[in-house]
Amino acid sequence: GDSVTQMEGPVTLSEEAFLTINCTYTATGYPSLFWYVQYPGEGLQLLLKATKADDKGSNKGFEATYRKETTSFHLEKGSVQVSDSAVYFCALRVRGAQKLVFGQGTRLTINP
Amino acid sequence: NAGVTQTPKFRILKIGQSMTLQCAQDMNHNYMYWYRQDPGMGLKLIYYSVGAGITDKGEVPNGYNVSRSTTEDFPLRLELAAPSQTSVYFCASSSTQGRQNTEAFFGQGTRLTVV
């Protein structure tokens, strides 16, 4: 079946540090890949997405590249801010399917 | 710009009680979903709907029911609440453009505690 595995959290960094959150997937078809972010007390918001191999999604300084050869979609940011503190979810949707499959989420805390 | 609206935001139920979680979207999306979020477990799909009058089970449907009488509304019903249903519930919607399914928009969630 389809599944998403994220790096274990929680992750705690200092402001301006470099961030990587690992995400790997298994899929029965050709998936689209997503990163969603959940700020405290809120629902999930789409952060970025990529729909085909070698695509790079980017938003708010975050980037992720769709790597078909390693079945990965790692999230990166060069310099994190306190306001980036949130839970980050990697997700996939196989083409033609209706549902999103989520990873378990990674809680990120940025200290000033 | 209401998007996806869920009510209530919080609820405490006693074991065996029933309740309906409401979800409404104003984006004319054909797809709607219910997920539950348990700590450290990500989101699990309960039920989904591809349009009015059509619903289908997700990964964890037991103990829940849904209906989709209109495009806008997708209520989730708990008939006999159990402690295992303590969770945060998210409703989401999306649409199709051609053969592509667009991004999902989520409500703010309903935190349910069953005691």
Side-chain angles (χ1 to χ4, degrees):
Chain A
D2 303 324
S3 66
V4 176
T5 302
Q6 291 180 233
M7 69 184 287
E8 294 282 337
V11 175
T12 302
L13 296 172
S14 297
E15 206 164 22
E16 299 183 4
F18 184 87
L19 169 71
T20 300
I21 301 178
N22 289 339
C23 171
T24 57
Y25 67 89
T26 59
T28 52
Y30 196 149
S32 294
L33 302 173
F34 305 84
W35 278 101
Y36 279 82
V37 59
Q38 183 181 29
Y39 298 106
E42 298 185 10
L44 280 72
Q45 305 172 26
L46 180 67
L47 179 61
L48 54 84
K49 67 178 181 182
T51 58
K52 61 182 188 296
D54 299 326
D55 269 2
K56 178 186 285 188
S58 61
N59 186 26
K60 299 182 181 179
F62 290 89
E63 293 182 339
T65 301
Y66 189 143
R67 301 286 187 202
K68 189 178 180 185
E69 64 275 14
T70 54
T71 62
S72 65
F73 193 54
H74 305 319
L75 183 68
E76 297 182 336
K77 186 173 185 181
S79 177
V80 292
Q81 306 300 313
V82 172
S83 57
D84 293 326
S85 298
V87 181
Y88 292 81
F89 292 91
C90 187
L92 69 81
R93 182 170 54 226
V94 174
R95 190 164 295 174
Q98 290 83 21
K99 64 176 186 177
L100 283 164
V101 176
F102 287 89
Q104 73 271 34
T106 302
R107 181 175 298 278
L108 174 66
T109 301
I110 307 300
N111 293 322
Chain B
N1 292 340
V4 179
T5 303
Q6 288 183 238
T7 55
K9 287 188 168 53
F10 305 93
R11 184 72 186 270
I12 297 174
L13 279 182
K14 293 184 178 178
I15 294 172
Q17 285 186 317
S18 62
M19 78 164 292
T20 299
L21 282 66
Q22 301 292 344
C23 176
Q25 54 92 7
D26 61 359
M27 297 173 282
N28 201 32
H29 285 172
N30 50 338
Y31 290 116
M32 295 188 75
Y33 314 83
W34 275 106
Y35 288 89
R36 59 177 287 172
Q37 181 183 26
D38 299 317
M41 299 296 290
L43 279 74
K44 299 292 185 184
L45 183 65
I46 305 171
Y47 270 95
Y48 67 99
S49 169
V50 301
I54 306 169
T55 62
D56 211 343
K57 295 178 180 178
E59 302 167 82
V60 289
N62 291 344
Y64 307 95
N65 277 300
V66 294
S67 59
R68 184 95 182 270
S69 56
T70 66
T71 298
E72 294 77 20
D73 300 298
F74 191 43
L76 178 71
R77 179 87 178 157
L78 283 72
E79 291 293 352
L80 290 170
S84 60
Q85 294 178 305
T86 294
S87 189
V88 180
Y89 292 82
F90 287 100
C91 181
S93 71
S94 66
S95 67
T96 47
Q97 293 176 348
R99 294 182 63 186
Q100 282 287 87
N101 202 341
T102 63
E103 69 170 281
F105 292 82
F106 284 79
Q108 291 198 315
T110 297
R111 183 176 295 276
L112 175 68
T113 303
V114 182
V115 296

